[in-house]
Amino acid sequence: MGDNSAVVEDSPFPLTDVDKWVLSQTDDEYAYHTWEDLRSIIQKNNLSVLKRKPSDLRRYMKWTAEIKAEYGNMTNYLLAHRLPKAWGSPPFSPVSETQFADPSDYRVLLNDWPYGFVPGIVHIVVWTRTAIPTASGAGDMTPESRKLVADFVKRFFVDRLGPGGEERVMWFKNWVALQSVRALEHVHVLVKDVDAAVIEEWTKEREWHRLQ
């Protein structure tokens, strides 16, 4: 442990109370999120308690500061290195105004900085250039948006895993107030005990993501 006041003050993004608590710990003291723990968090929509391993959080803070110094903000970095060149820059012009209706409007990627999970859990982010409506206040999803995302997750992830797939996939969308990248729409998907080949199939770049 030790004094983390300087680390907190120098953070490149607002730290939650959970983040500050994590920074007071060592990796050995950290309690990893289990699948059952994550299910409870998502069902209760208690997303603010999701946390990274202490050493990962410190590295994420350092990386974020370096990215902001070089690119100005995280959005510029993602547009330059992670998201499809064919999208251009915001405001985007999606093929479909319906979320996830056209495959060229979304990109499935591994999360570069996942939360601290027990082994076997993979953290995926689905980026979309089609807006996902949210309610006022903290910016949680509308019931209509939640159904559209749930239908997509079932179609794209759950059905691919076959019988029992619904028990190995969960998803959430951070409230606007919790998002580290607010300018770009994205949904988080967690999968458990999925073969690397399937993960690679989900996350590979497609022709329609490239500039023609």
Side-chain angles (χ1 to χ4, degrees):
M1 296 190 187
D3 182 10
N4 285 290
S5 57
V7 175
V8 171
E9 289 177 6
D10 292 341
S11 176
F13 51 84
L15 294 175
T16 66
D17 289 340
V18 172
D19 289 332
K20 294 172 185 177
W21 174 62
V22 168
L23 288 171
S24 73
Q25 298 178 305
T26 65
D27 283 359
D28 288 339
E29 294 169 324
Y30 176 81
Y32 290 84
H33 289 297
T34 65
W35 192 248
E36 292 71 24
D37 177 35
L38 292 167
R39 186 183 301 280
S40 175
I41 289 170
I42 293 171
Q43 286 178 344
K44 295 175 182 176
N45 205 22
N46 191 21
L47 305 176
S48 62
V49 304
L50 289 168
K51 57 191 184 297
R52 293 179 173 87
K53 187 173 67 174
S55 60
D56 283 347
L57 178 55
R58 290 186 178 88
R59 290 191 303 113
Y60 180 53
M61 292 167 64
K62 179 176 183 294
W63 179 82
T64 300
E66 292 169 350
I67 290 298
K68 288 187 174 181
E70 183 173 354
Y71 292 90
N73 57 52
M74 195 63 67
T75 296
N76 291 338
Y77 167 79
L78 289 166
L79 291 170
H81 295 287
R82 301 293 277 144
L83 297 181
K85 300 299 183 189
W87 286 9
S89 299
F92 298 124
S93 299
V95 172
S96 175
E97 293 299 328
T98 301
Q99 298 85 0
F100 310 109
D102 190 286
S104 66
D105 286 335
Y106 59 85
R107 180 75 170 93
V108 181
L109 294 169
L110 288 174
N111 189 348
D112 294 326
W113 295 96
Y115 297 107
F117 306 133
V118 297
I121 300 173
V122 175
H123 190 167
I124 293 169
V125 181
V126 182
W127 299 90
T128 172
R129 60 176 171 175
T130 306
I132 301 177
T134 57
S136 58
D140 195 10
M141 303 179 70
T142 64
E144 296 79 11
S145 296
R146 191 171 293 279
K147 183 179 187 308
L148 281 166
V149 176
D151 288 348
F152 164 74
V153 170
K154 180 181 185 305
R155 181 174 73 249
F156 192 93
F157 296 99
V158 174
D159 290 352
R160 172 64 180 81
L161 298 178
E166 66 275 1
E167 297 300 320
R168 297 159 62 196
V169 179
M170 293 188 287
W171 69 271
F172 64 91
K173 183 179 185 296
N174 270 331
W175 317 323
V176 172
L178 293 175
Q179 290 176 359
S180 57
V181 185
R182 297 187 182 183
L184 302 172
E185 291 280 20
H186 57 287
V187 173
H188 298 262
V189 178
L190 308 176
V191 299
K192 181 169 69 83
D193 300 332
V194 175
D195 289 344
V198 176
I199 301 291
E200 184 177 354
E201 174 191 326
W202 282 335
T203 58
K204 70 181 180 182
E205 186 181 44
R206 313 286 178 170
E207 279 186 27
W208 49 79
H209 292 139
R210 307 184 188 106
L211 284 172
Q212 302 300 317

